[in-house]
Each structure stands twice: as C-alpha cells, then as structure tokens.
Amino acid sequence: MTDYELIRSKRRSLELRVLDDGRVQVRAPQRASLRMVQTFVDSRRQWIADQQQRQASRPRQGWQDGAAFPFRGQLLIMDVSAGRNAVVVSGGYLQIRVPEPDSEAAVRQAVENWLRKQARPLFEDSIARQFPWFASQGFSQPVLRVKKMRTRWGSLSARGYINLNMALLHYPPAALDYVVMHELCHLQHMDHGPGFHALMDARMPDWRQRKQLLDQPLFQP
Ligand SMILES: [Zn+2]
C-alpha cells in the first residue's frame, strides 16, 4: 500500500501530488471518505511509482565547491571560498565567496541572489533587441516581470506585462530570445493558431531549433 499524507480543504475534487522528495500528498474535499481516498490512490499506483522513479533519477544541483552550475548554456564550476559575499563569473568558474563556505544553504542563497540580479538586465536586453518590429506595428512595450515559475518559461498578460522565468538564465541566450519572441508574438496573436506560427516563422525562422534547447532539464534545484 502507498503511504500518503492527506490534506483536506475546501475543494471539489481529489488531487494527487508526488513531491520533489518522493512523498505522496492527496488533497481531498472535507467530506470525502477515507475509502474513497484510498481507492483513488490505489487506482493511480502506477502513476505514483513512475513519478517517484522520475524524481529519484533527477540530477540535483549541488551547492558546494566543484559542483557544476549551468549559466547561459555554459557549465560553470563552482569555486567556493571564505570571505565577504561576492559572486563572479571568471573563465569557466563561478567564483563564490561566502562567510560559511561549507554551508550549502549559504552558497545557494548567495548564488540565487546573484542570479536574480543577472536576470533583469539580460532579459531587458533580449526584449530591447526584439521589440523594435513590434513597436513599428504600433504595440507598446510590455513591462518585464522576472518570476520563478515551475511550469512555464514565460507569459504575456493582457494588462501589458511580460513574465519571464528566472530559470531561463541556465539556458543558452538563443533559448531566452526564443521565449521573448514567443511572448512578443502574443501581442498580435493571443492563441497558438496558424497566424501565431506564421508570425514566429517570419520573425524568427529558426525558432523550432531554439525551442528544443529548452527540452533539456538543465537545472534541478
Ligand atoms: Zn504562448
């Protein structure tokens, strides 16, 4: 029998989740009977096993000296030493100075802070290079919001925001430009219909190859 944690809430349906560490959670309506929940879990046993297998085989990001860190499509090697907080890319290395170099949490925090600072100027630059044609069509430039998203690389809101996933920084610049172009094309076509694809083909003829760069799971926190 599968072990699981049951979380009851105001909801209408049952939902199953396999967490990053392999634990199973079931979210259920307040009044769902235990038998109903158990039947649900039993019926999804194969799916749970597949998810757990996938989680277990994921390469995890290490946060210590010598760990590899993907940045803009390049694998940098972490060079961690003791000192006042500073993170710098130098040659093939990500040089990280933290007061506690043996603490993975401290290294991770320092790198994440650094990464967040890199995102805005790099994302703004990609937008600035690709927006002029859209400006010539009379569109106004969407406002950038950098986000941590689990399931999407980007989105364009009707209220004039372009949301981009911070994790794009791990991938080659060509992939970032693809996502930005994709979202900008939504200024003209909100859906993914033939008109949208024709515009992508016209603005970025190699977008399919660029898109494939994102298929590889480069970074697993
Ligand atoms: Zn889209």
Side-chain angles (χ1 to χ4, degrees), residues 182-183 186 192 196:
H182 178 113
E183 300 312 334
H186 279 318
H192 295 127
F196 175 84

Side-chain angles (χ1 to χ4, degrees), residues 6-163:
L6 179 58
I7 299 168
R8 291 189 183 274
S9 65
K10 279 191 199 155
R11 52 179 298 131
R12 287 162 177 275
S13 59
L14 290 159
E15 188 201 353
L16 203 53
R17 284 189 197 176
V18 177
L19 305 183
D20 288 349
D21 58 7
R23 281 183 298 135
V24 178
Q25 275 183 353
V26 182
R27 284 156 203 272
Q30 303 283 6
R31 312 180 63 157
S33 72
L34 276 179
R35 228 181 73 177
M36 188 178 155
V37 171
Q38 188 60 54
T39 307
F40 174 66
V41 172
D42 287 344
S43 73
R44 307 289 309 273
R45 210 179 291 163
Q46 186 58 50
W47 181 84
I48 293 170
D50 291 347
Q51 294 294 310
Q52 287 174 328
Q53 174 72 43
R54 252 182 42 188
Q55 307 284 24
S57 60
R58 273 187 351 169
R60 301 279 164 164
Q61 178 63 50
W63 302 98
Q64 73 277 325
D65 194 58
F69 183 79
F71 181 64
R72 311 215 82 200
Q74 200 193 349
L75 263 190
L76 303 174
I77 303 300
M78 290 188 187
D79 174 15
V80 184
S81 56
R84 279 181 55 186
N85 275 300
V87 178
V88 183
V89 178
S90 172
Y93 291 92
L94 185 62
Q95 294 181 334
I96 304 154
R97 270 191 290 142
V98 281
E100 304 166 79
D102 293 329
S103 157
E104 286 207 57
V107 171
R108 177 177 185 161
Q109 188 66 57
V111 173
E112 284 188 344
N113 290 346
W114 169 80
L115 202 61
R116 199 167 296 117
K117 275 188 225 135
Q118 307 307 303
R120 184 159 285 277
L122 291 170
F123 291 0
E124 295 278 17
D125 170 69
S126 176
I127 295 168
R129 278 184 289 105
Q130 302 189 84
F131 188 71
W133 182 82
F134 294 90
S136 78
Q137 303 301 301
F139 294 106
S140 45
Q141 187 166 326
V143 176
L144 171 65
R145 286 195 297 207
V146 180
K147 294 201 161 178
K148 263 186 160 178
M149 295 185 273
R150 279 184 73 94
T151 55
R152 312 170 79 175
W153 292 115
S155 63
L156 187 87
S157 83
R159 273 164 296 163
Y161 292 99
I162 181 169
N163 303 306

